[in-house]
Amino acid sequence: MAAGRLVLPVVDLASPDVRSVAEAVRKACVESGFFYVTNHGIQDELLDAVFAESKKFFELPLEEKMLLLRNSSHRGFTPPYDEKLDATSEFQGDLKESFYIGPVGDVDMPNDPNQWPSKERFPSWKDTMKLYHATALAAGKRILSLIALSLDLDAEFFQNIGAFDSPSAVIRLLHYSGEVNESDNGNYGASAHSDYGMITLLATDGTPGFRYVGRRIRIPSSGKMFLTLMGPL
């Protein structure tokens, strides 16, 4: 670790030496719980499209975004201050906005709990998010196979126990305005929290600012995905 800066390992999913990669995953989880993933199969063009669609939505007036307010299935838009990740915080809630998209079938489901912006305003939104969800889920499954190997289990362990039968993988689009009111001084875009679920695969635009346990991590935008796990192996 450099002074005041955590240097994270990089895991290459295209490496032919699967056992060495699995050991690198185990080492990363034990020592930090975070690592970068390269050759994850998510094309740069798709990531660019996801960021572009996300940016276009979050630039809408708040009253328009509120028409897709998160429903009882936790799909849709959450406005600023709607979520409070740190229950001990003195503030009303976190500054960020977000949009949740859950599993999407190959064909339109009659009772799809997801909420979608109008096709007239966002003609490419749904297809882009469906492709991103499927591609990111495939990358997550590859990573979980490596995690299984790192635990001296079969690579197909999670698949064999049914963990992939009905995956609850969720895309969470995030927007941080960068504008802080005087009353928000000291508040966070996303306050201290632990992620729920098995793994978090995070794509960023390269803007630095991720912080954990008092340390700051600069996240690059060079085709790497940033992965966090619930805890050490």
Side-chain angles (χ1 to χ4, degrees), residues 46 126-136:
L46 177 56
K126 188 173 182 178
D127 289 341
T128 298
M129 298 307 170
K130 286 176 65 175
L131 179 58
Y132 180 56
H133 191 284
T135 310

Side-chain angles (χ1 to χ4, degrees), residues 116-130:
W116 305 105
S118 70
K119 197 169 182 62
E120 291 73 25
R121 294 282 298 274
F122 295 84
S124 301
W125 172 283
K126 188 173 182 178
D127 289 341
T128 298
M129 298 307 170
K130 286 176 65 175

Side-chain angles (χ1 to χ4, degrees), residues 22-35:
E23 181 56 34
V25 168
R26 180 181 181 86
K27 186 173 185 292
C29 294
V30 169
E31 294 182 356
S32 66
F34 304 86
F35 55 91

Side-chain angles (χ1 to χ4, degrees), residues 40 42-49 221-224:
H40 38 68
I42 306 174
Q43 299 298 319
D44 289 344
E45 293 80 7
L46 177 56
L47 285 173
D48 289 343
S221 55
S222 56
K224 298 175 183 175

Side-chain angles (χ1 to χ4, degrees), residues 84-151:
K84 187 174 183 178
L85 299 179
D86 182 2
T88 66
S89 172
E90 63 183 276
F91 294 97
Q92 176 184 347
D94 296 338
L95 303 177
K96 68 184 183 308
E97 300 174 283
S98 59
F99 195 98
Y100 291 82
I101 304 170
V104 184
D106 294 333
V107 296
D108 289 341
M109 297 181 291
N111 297 310
D112 182 7
N114 286 300
Q115 302 198 74
W116 305 105
S118 70
K119 197 169 182 62
E120 291 73 25
R121 294 282 298 274
F122 295 84
S124 301
W125 172 283
K126 188 173 182 178
D127 289 341
T128 298
M129 298 307 170
K130 286 176 65 175
L131 179 58
Y132 180 56
H133 191 284
T135 310
L137 180 59
K141 290 178 178 179
R142 293 168 64 192
I143 294 165
L144 286 173
S145 292
L146 292 171
I147 291 173
L149 288 173
S150 75
L151 293 168

